[in-house]
Amino acid sequence: MRDKTKRVLILGQAGYFGLLIFLPLWHLILVPSEMNKYVTFLLTVGPLLLPLKGILKRQPYTYAWSNFIVMFYLLHGLTLIWDRPDERLYVIVELVLALMMFIGCSYFAKFRGQELGLSIRKKKDETQ
């Protein structure tokens, strides 16, 4: 694995595991939600658990599709930054971690896929 691939892997994993630790801490301990704690935990951590196995195994495909999941957290953060000014610091932490995950996972999938010879074929023009 090349050096730049390792750097983006670390960035993506730091964002991923940061979200996995920070979100329950925020919503269950720092600013407890009015909802049931189990429901809150399931909604905040549940989607992040889906790509866990592939993240640990460093599978480029999992890193690529996990970006669909991180979009939920980016939208959540962008919504709360306007809705809850008293929690703005926590929202900024969520946004930074989500961006770290998004950028790291995107580039890891790209670089590692290139190293492994994986590619997405372009559709040939059938009229020629």
Side-chain angles (χ1 to χ4, degrees):
M1 193 180 313
R2 293 182 299 194
D3 192 42
K4 68 179 179 178
T5 307
K6 287 180 185 176
R7 282 195 303 264
V8 293
L9 172 67
I10 291 169
L11 181 67
Q13 286 182 341
Y16 174 77
F17 289 111
L19 282 173
L20 203 58
I21 294 167
F22 175 71
L23 289 174
L25 179 70
W26 172 19
H27 292 291
L28 296 173
I29 297 170
L30 298 173
V31 184
S33 174
E34 292 134 10
M35 290 189 340
N36 182 325
K37 287 187 177 195
Y38 299 110
V39 172
T40 302
F41 183 79
L42 183 65
L43 289 174
T44 57
V45 176
L48 284 172
L49 294 177
L50 295 173
L52 178 63
K53 183 178 177 183
I55 295 282
L56 293 174
K57 289 187 173 188
R58 300 178 180 176
Q59 296 173 336
Y61 182 75
T62 302
Y63 278 79
W65 68 257
S66 68
N67 283 327
F68 292 113
I69 292 172
V70 80
M71 285 298 133
F72 168 75
Y73 298 99
L74 284 170
L75 289 172
H76 177 258
L78 290 172
T79 302
L80 287 186
I81 207 157
W82 298 110
D83 187 47
R84 297 194 185 152
D86 54 324
E87 296 179 37
R88 200 164 275 161
L89 177 64
Y90 302 133
V91 175
I92 290 170
V93 172
E94 178 186 25
L95 286 170
V96 167
L97 290 171
L99 283 171
M100 287 171 55
M101 181 181 167
F102 180 77
I103 293 167
C105 289
S106 297
Y107 280 102
F108 177 76
K110 177 183 177 179
F111 295 154
R112 190 64 181 147
Q114 289 172 347
E115 290 172 5
L116 296 173
L118 304 174
S119 67
I120 300 174
R121 294 185 182 193
K122 292 184 180 179
K123 187 175 181 180
K124 292 183 179 181
D125 189 11
E126 296 177 9
T127 59
Q128 291 180 353

